[in-house]
Amino acid sequence: LEEEEPPIQDFTIYNQQDIFYVRSKDRIRKISIYNILGALIHESYPQENNFEFMSGLSKKGDVLLIDIQPEEGRSIKKKIIHQ
């Protein structure tokens, strides 16, 4: 059974088979991922609209803070819980 990707809003973050996906209408300049204590655990410069990372950065139940910086406009911060 293949899961459908959710529709893209300004940006979408979802977890599918232990991989987190970030999709955006705009190109993403930088993504920073922090743990709940504010420590940087991952940083990438994808330069495209899509990004994916393994959930091995955290374990189930962990809270992650994701800072998405598009090429244009303000950065977007989102809190997610690894499920």
Side-chain angles (χ1 to χ4, degrees), residues 26-47:
D26 300 316
R27 290 172 58 98
I28 299 169
R29 182 171 55 89
K30 178 179 162 186
I31 294 180
S32 303
I33 303 168
Y34 302 89
N35 66 17
I36 192 65
L37 300 175
L40 180 68
I41 58 174
H42 185 79
E43 188 169 72
S44 291
Y45 300 85
Q47 303 298 318

Side-chain angles (χ1 to χ4, degrees), residues 10-54:
D10 287 336
F11 73 94
T12 302
I13 302 171
Y14 63 99
N15 183 355
Q16 190 175 51
Q17 298 179 347
D18 282 339
I19 299 176
F20 284 98
Y21 294 90
V22 178
R23 304 284 186 250
S24 173
K25 288 183 178 179
D26 300 316
R27 290 172 58 98
I28 299 169
R29 182 171 55 89
K30 178 179 162 186
I31 294 180
S32 303
I33 303 168
Y34 302 89
N35 66 17
I36 192 65
L37 300 175
L40 180 68
I41 58 174
H42 185 79
E43 188 169 72
S44 291
Y45 300 85
Q47 303 298 318
E48 54 189 50
N49 299 44
N50 302 312
F51 174 73
E52 58 188 63
F53 61 94
M54 299 296 292

